[in-house]
């Protein structure tokens, strides 16, 4: 159950996943044992799916963000599986969505520069037949890697 305590735990962990058990329990006003039990339950239920570290992409030289909008004439489950496997081989693709509207898929690509993106583009089109790829280049990241809006989730 995602009650107010669980929401507080999730919000705190999204802000700082390195909190000690004691620090987290103090933030959410629970005992360390109760907090730990809730975290374990949310892991078991798949609410918490892992732990990661957020990196500053610009400090790593990854200055170019591209949103690639893809159209295809293929809509079978088999083609999608082939496309999914192909995209998974391209590490610069950090987000991958099937979408509705004028395009079929959206890829968020993070790379060093235009030449690096061109290499990603060439790998992308070499693996599967695509109808079109339209690329949009981010000029500025106003907000990036924001936490999920836990306060807006429904009670389960």
């Amino acid at each position: 159950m995602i009650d107010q305590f669980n929401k507080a735990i999730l919000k705190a962990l999204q802000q700082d996943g390195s909190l000690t058990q004691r620090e987290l329990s103090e933030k959410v006003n629970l005992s360390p044992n109760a907090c730990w039990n809730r975290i374990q339950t949310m892991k078991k239920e798949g609410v918490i799916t892992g732990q990661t570290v957020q990196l500053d992409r610009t400090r790593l030289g990854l200055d170019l963000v591209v949103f690639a909008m893809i159209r295809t004439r293929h809509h079978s489950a088999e083609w999608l599986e082939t496309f999914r496997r192909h995209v998974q081989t391209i590490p610069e693709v950090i987000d991958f969505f099937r979408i509705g509207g004028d395009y079929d898929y959206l890829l968020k690509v993070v790379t060093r520069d235009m030449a690096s993106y061109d290499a990603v583009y060439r790998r992308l089109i070499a693996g599967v037949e695509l109808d079109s790829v339209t690329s949009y280049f981010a000029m500025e990241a106003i907000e990036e890697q924001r936490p999920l809006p836990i306060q807006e989730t429904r009670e389960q």
Side-chain angles (χ1 to χ4, degrees):
M1 177 166 186
I2 307 296
D3 62 11
Q4 289 306 110
F5 285 112
N6 285 356
K7 288 179 183 181
I9 290 168
L10 294 171
K11 287 169 68 173
L13 288 174
Q14 282 192 110
Q15 290 175 346
D16 185 356
S18 68
L19 291 172
T20 66
Q21 196 65 43
R22 174 169 289 190
E23 292 168 333
L24 180 59
S25 64
E26 288 173 2
K27 273 190 173 284
V28 300
N29 297 318
L30 283 173
S31 72
N33 191 44
C35 192
W36 185 85
N37 286 334
R38 286 172 174 269
I39 290 170
Q40 297 311 307
T41 299
M42 288 189 283
K43 285 180 178 180
K44 181 180 166 191
E45 293 174 351
V47 175
I48 297 174
T49 59
Q51 291 178 260
T52 62
V53 174
Q54 289 185 350
L55 305 175
D56 184 323
R57 65 175 174 73
T58 59
R59 289 181 184 244
L60 295 169
L62 300 170
D63 295 321
L64 184 63
V65 176
V66 181
F67 297 94
M69 308 296 290
I70 296 171
R71 282 193 189 111
T72 181
R73 293 185 184 132
H74 306 279
H75 298 283
S76 70
E78 296 80 15
W79 185 91
L80 174 55
E81 180 60 21
T82 299
F83 184 48
R84 183 189 61 77
R85 282 194 316 269
H86 176 61
V87 169
Q88 287 176 329
T89 68
I90 305 171
E92 295 88 350
V93 176
I94 64 166
D95 289 314
F96 178 24
F97 298 94
R98 185 169 57 89
I99 60 175
D102 290 338
Y103 295 94
D104 300 305
Y105 301 95
L106 166 67
L107 282 61
K108 181 178 180 183
V109 179
V110 176
T111 191
R112 291 185 319 274
D113 53 26
M114 191 61 71
S116 299
Y117 175 66
D118 187 51
V120 170
Y121 171 81
R122 290 173 188 273
R123 287 195 320 257
L124 179 65
I125 64 171
V128 291
E129 181 187 346
L130 301 172
D131 191 37
S132 69
V133 179
T134 302
S135 301
Y136 295 93
F137 303 95
M139 295 170 47
E140 175 186 10
I142 296 169
E143 293 228 23
E144 198 169 25
Q145 297 181 335
R146 293 179 61 190
L148 293 175
I150 302 302
Q151 69 277 5
E152 298 174 14
T153 60
R154 60 179 164 82
E155 296 269 338
Q156 296 182 356

